[in-house]
Amino acid sequence: MDWHYSEGTQKKGPVSDAELDRLLQSGGINDDTLIWRAGMTDWQPLKIARAGTGGASPGNACVECGKLFPPDEMVKLNNSWVCAQCKPIFLQRLAEGTTVPSAGTLWRTNKKVVAKTGTIFPDRCIKCNAPANGFRLKRVLYWQHPAYLLLLLCNLLVLLVVILIVRKKAVVEIGLCGAHRARRKRGIIIGLSGLFGGIILIIGGIVFHSGIMVVAGLISLIGISIYGLILARTLSPTKIDKEYVWASGCSREFLEALPEWHGK
């Protein structure tokens, strides 16, 4: 049986079962490495794809960490599948009456994540897939079809009014690790500093008739503010309908642990 396996962004193989075992023993790959062979519909983690004698096993995704495990390594609690490592955390959430991650409401498609509105993401950072240690950031996402931006050619006020009427909304709760929470805070501080600093410089330039101050203010208002927004960015919606939101901004590692989207 010939297998293909992923190494970073590269797909390698084919290799035999014996060669795959040698790679596993030498540390060249691990249980979470994505592998594929002819007859499989999609790439799966090695521990799932080679489970049992019947070939690839669908496995289940832990509602807390989002990783895939064989059925015999999972337990069903409160209608959600939880792995052994996450079981204490999940039970603590239930005992405290706090929100628990949503089950069966999160998928991947290409480089985007698909979620039902109201979904609580797994306890992993969407940016690097590191543990989020229980932290969730509530995000209210808005989206309208890009064609409405053509109204800017008519009147800015008309565009704003139409957007407020037609825009769609979705609410999700995402996980972020400590490093990316700090990065987001830096981005917010930099963005606000660029915004208010730019306004002050522009006003000062007008008052003191200084073109240099006005130019510096514009650079701060546009350049620094945009840089801050990029640092602070989490999810960016690319489409929202009545039930689902499609968004970019998640890392490849985070997306690979999610099931493939086969919806509309």
Side-chain angles (χ1 to χ4, degrees):
M1 182 182 297
D2 290 331
W3 295 93
H4 296 261
Y5 65 95
S6 65
E7 187 175 281
T9 58
Q10 297 182 342
K11 305 298 184 185
K12 295 190 174 183
V15 297
S16 65
D17 276 301
E19 290 173 307
L20 201 65
D21 288 334
R22 282 195 292 271
L23 285 168
L24 185 61
Q25 293 169 3
S26 67
I29 60 176
N30 56 50
D31 285 340
D32 293 318
T33 298
L34 294 176
I35 62 174
W36 176 88
R37 64 171 173 79
M40 291 175 58
T41 58
D42 199 3
W43 291 70
Q44 292 183 326
L46 183 147
K47 63 187 175 188
I48 301 299
R50 301 185 80 193
T53 58
S57 166
N60 293 302
C62 172
V63 74
E64 276 286 347
C65 66
K67 295 181 180 179
L68 292 170
F69 294 90
D72 59 357
E73 296 182 18
M74 304 284 285
V75 60
K76 197 169 188 179
L77 300 171
N78 199 38
N79 293 320
S80 298
W81 288 102
V82 185
C83 70
Q85 184 176 353
C86 295
K87 180 181 175 181
I89 300 174
F90 189 85
L91 288 174
Q92 183 179 352
R93 291 184 193 279
L94 290 178
E96 295 175 352
T98 56
T99 56
V100 296
S102 308
T105 59
L106 191 64
W107 305 267
R108 61 179 165 88
T109 176
N110 297 323
K111 296 181 180 181
K112 299 174 185 177
V113 65
V114 184
K116 278 191 174 183
T117 184
T119 292
I120 301 173
F121 280 42
D123 192 25
R124 294 183 288 115
C125 178
I126 66 167
K127 292 296 184 180
C128 64
N129 208 39
N133 297 321
F135 175 84
R136 296 297 193 286
L137 175 68
K138 188 174 183 178
R139 297 287 289 117
V140 182
L141 306 174
Y142 295 98
W143 177 85
Q144 69 284 327
H145 197 283
Y148 286 107
L149 296 178
L150 293 174
L151 291 173
L152 184 60
L153 299 174
C154 302
N155 187 284
L156 177 59
L157 181 60
V158 171
L159 172 63
L160 294 176
V161 171
V162 171
I163 285 178
L164 288 173
I165 295 173
V166 303
R167 69 178 181 176
K168 293 179 172 61
K169 172 184 173 182
V171 179
V172 295
E173 295 185 33
I174 62 174
L176 288 176
C177 65
H180 282 95
R181 292 201 297 272
R183 175 188 171 98
R184 181 173 180 272
K185 289 179 181 178
R186 285 199 306 272
I188 292 173
I189 293 172
I190 291 172
L192 291 176
S193 299
L195 175 63
F196 292 114
I199 292 173
I200 292 172
L201 284 171
I202 291 173
I203 293 174
I206 294 173
V207 172
F208 296 105
H209 305 288
S210 172
I212 294 178
M213 287 182 68
V214 172
V215 172
L218 289 172
I219 292 174
S220 176
L221 189 65
I222 299 173
I224 297 179
S225 296
I226 291 176
Y227 175 68
L229 287 173
I230 293 173
L231 281 180
R233 186 177 78 101
T234 52
L235 287 181
S236 297
T238 58
K239 180 183 176 183
I240 297 176
D241 64 15
K242 293 180 179 179
E243 290 185 76
Y244 303 96
V245 54
W246 288 254
S248 61
C250 295
S251 68
R252 177 179 60 83
E253 293 80 8
F254 179 86
L255 291 172
E256 283 179 347
L258 301 178
E260 186 73 27
W261 167 254
H262 295 296
K264 55 186 177 181

